[in-house]
Amino acid sequence: MSAAFMPRPGRVRKVRRLASPGEVLVSLGDCVQAEDILVRSEEPGEVVALAAAAQLGISPAELSTSLKVSVGQAFRQGQCLGRSRHWFGFVERCVTAPFDGILESVSPVTGQCFLRKPPRSLECPAYLTGQVVETHGATGVTVEGEGCLLHGVLGVGGECIGPLQTLEDEGSIQADHRGQVLAFHQALIARGLFHAVEAGARAVIVPSVDDGELTRFLGDELSLAVTGDETLPMTLILTEGFGKLHMMEKMWHLLSQNQGNVVSCSGATQIRAGAIRPEIVLPLADSSCGGLRGEERLEPGMRLRCLREPWFGQTATLVAFLTEPLRLPTESMVPGVRVRFESGRQADLPLANVERVDGVSFS
């Protein structure tokens, strides 16, 4: 029963690896900074089909004799890959390369040239300042360091690292906030999010955003199943949910204590099986975690946040743990809790569908 799980009090552990084998740049026991690159590899470039015969005005069978580049040969963007002449040599046609790459193959049936783009370099940063405590062959390592792990309700965008700056509202955003992680005490609207993008913020931590304003910012409806792979200019993390909610005071206090420190953020969210929560990793100062530990247990009277529909984002009070397993619509039997919402209504929910809301989250 833990979401803000720490292997030991005050310790955060992260597996840092790439999907494909590469070059591991650190060794077991090495100390690393959050920005350090730990693993590097190259991913083969995308193959793009080019209708060369059609552009040259020749038959597919004639293509190979009209090309100026051999299979396996590299070319530059704008270079003439093939040339043909028409009307007794008075009209010349040329097919040019749309990008730098290599001629992968030529089809005498379709008249297409298959061009491979340059390999893409993949790098995996440490994300966390700490020590390499485990290696995973040629794919990556595990890093462990002092820190305080906070979870949000919903996020979009990938990982980022930057100095933390706490602000009251969008009117406090300045041009000198470029490259920073901005945390806001109050809810923002789309205008404020766009303003943060214009200022060059790497991430925005905000208590809440109206769902319509979030759609306006993203340009499309957000899929609540899995996020984190969006192509966005910055990462966005909601700590409370949708609407016009203020940030919980304990979390705001933790963020304010770490103003100016380099923090790590990830907006990746998955609310189905194998839940993934958006997170903020704060460096652990002497009192930055206020005595909170991920190993603390839920107790009646604690405030909880619901993580699944139909109560997603709502807060409630833990009344009791259910003495019998809770039966789900899928007929699964899981541990459950009884909660009471602010309206006075009570509901029985799976234990995995709630988290604490006092600064360290559980699910």
Side-chain angles (χ1 to χ4, degrees):
M1 180 187 65
S2 65
F5 175 74
M6 301 181 186
R8 299 194 300 272
R11 305 293 292 180
V12 180
R13 178 183 289 242
K14 289 292 178 181
V15 177
R16 309 300 296 160
R17 66 198 313 172
L18 296 175
S20 56
E23 180 187 6
V24 177
L25 306 177
V26 292
S27 302
L28 190 66
D30 285 355
C31 294
V32 296
Q33 298 297 311
E35 302 88 348
D36 292 347
I37 302 301
L38 306 186
V39 193
R40 181 181 290 119
S41 71
E42 284 193 347
E43 184 180 71
E46 175 189 3
V47 174
V48 178
L50 180 66
Q55 292 188 33
L56 293 174
I58 59 177
S59 68
E62 298 175 289
L63 179 58
S64 59
T65 59
S66 300
L67 292 177
K68 304 299 181 183
V69 178
S70 303
V71 173
Q73 184 178 347
F75 53 79
R76 306 291 294 177
Q77 182 177 0
Q79 180 179 339
C80 180
L81 300 178
R83 183 177 283 110
S84 65
R85 294 182 181 276
H86 304 269
W87 293 96
F88 307 102
F90 291 106
V91 177
E92 183 178 87
R93 292 185 180 179
C94 179
V95 57
T96 58
F99 48 77
D100 295 348
I102 294 176
L103 180 58
E104 185 81 2
S105 62
V106 179
S107 173
V109 178
T110 63
Q112 292 176 309
C113 287
F114 294 93
L115 314 178
R116 185 176 292 278
K117 293 183 176 181
R120 186 164 63 99
S121 177
L122 301 178
E123 296 182 335
C124 181
Y127 182 71
L128 176 71
T129 296
Q131 187 176 33
V132 177
V133 296
E134 190 176 353
T135 60
H136 307 287
T139 60
V141 300
T142 295
V143 177
E144 184 178 280
E146 298 286 343
C148 185
L149 182 62
L150 306 180
H151 279 157
V153 171
L154 179 69
V156 290
E159 296 178 352
C160 68
I161 303 166
L164 178 65
Q165 177 68 44
T166 54
L167 304 173
E168 191 64 27
D169 52 40
E170 68 169 282
S172 305
I173 301 175
Q174 303 294 330
D176 60 359
H177 289 148
R178 177 169 299 277
Q180 297 184 356
V181 175
L182 305 182
F184 293 86
H185 194 210
Q186 301 179 15
L188 288 186
I189 60 176
R191 182 184 62 194
L193 297 177
F194 283 121
H195 192 182
V197 170
E198 292 171 359
R202 290 184 180 174
V204 162
I205 304 167
V206 66
S208 59
V209 174
D210 180 80
D211 57 350
E213 294 292 320
L214 181 59
T215 299
R216 180 182 166 199
F217 172 67
L218 298 176
D220 198 1
E221 292 285 345
L222 177 66
S223 169
L224 292 180
V226 181
T227 72
D229 293 330
E230 300 84 3
T231 304
L232 295 174
M234 70 177 188
T235 296
L236 174 64
I237 296 176
L238 309 185
T239 64
E240 311 302 325
F242 293 117
K244 298 181 178 179
L245 307 172
H246 282 63
M247 187 175 293
M248 224 164 280
E249 289 304 321
K250 182 165 281 189
M251 181 174 284
W252 179 247
H253 177 68
L254 289 172
L255 294 174
S256 299
Q257 278 191 322
N258 281 275
Q259 184 166 238
N261 292 332
V262 174
V263 301
S264 305
C265 301
S266 173
T269 306
Q270 180 173 301
I271 64 174
R272 59 191 185 190
I276 299 173
R277 310 301 311 286
E279 64 181 24
I280 308 110
V281 183
L282 306 176
L284 186 60
D286 292 339
S287 59
S288 64
C289 283
L292 294 174
R293 298 299 182 214
E295 292 79 1
E296 289 183 10
R297 301 298 179 181
L298 296 180
E299 297 177 358
M302 287 183 172
R303 294 185 63 199
L304 307 177
R305 179 191 291 121
C306 300
L307 305 177
R308 305 287 190 277
E309 295 292 353
W311 312 104
F312 179 70
Q314 295 191 38
T315 57
T317 301
L318 175 60
V319 176
F321 290 92
L322 300 183
T323 56
E324 298 293 332
L326 180 65
R327 184 183 296 275
L328 301 180
T330 60
E331 299 301 319
S332 300
M333 304 294 288
V334 298
V337 291
R338 179 161 296 163
V339 301
R340 182 174 59 252
F341 296 97
E342 294 180 1
S343 64
R345 181 176 178 179
Q346 294 192 8
D348 293 341
L349 304 176
L351 178 60
N353 289 8
V354 299
E355 70 172 1
R356 286 183 58 180
V357 291
D358 60 353
V360 176
S361 56
F362 287 76
S363 61

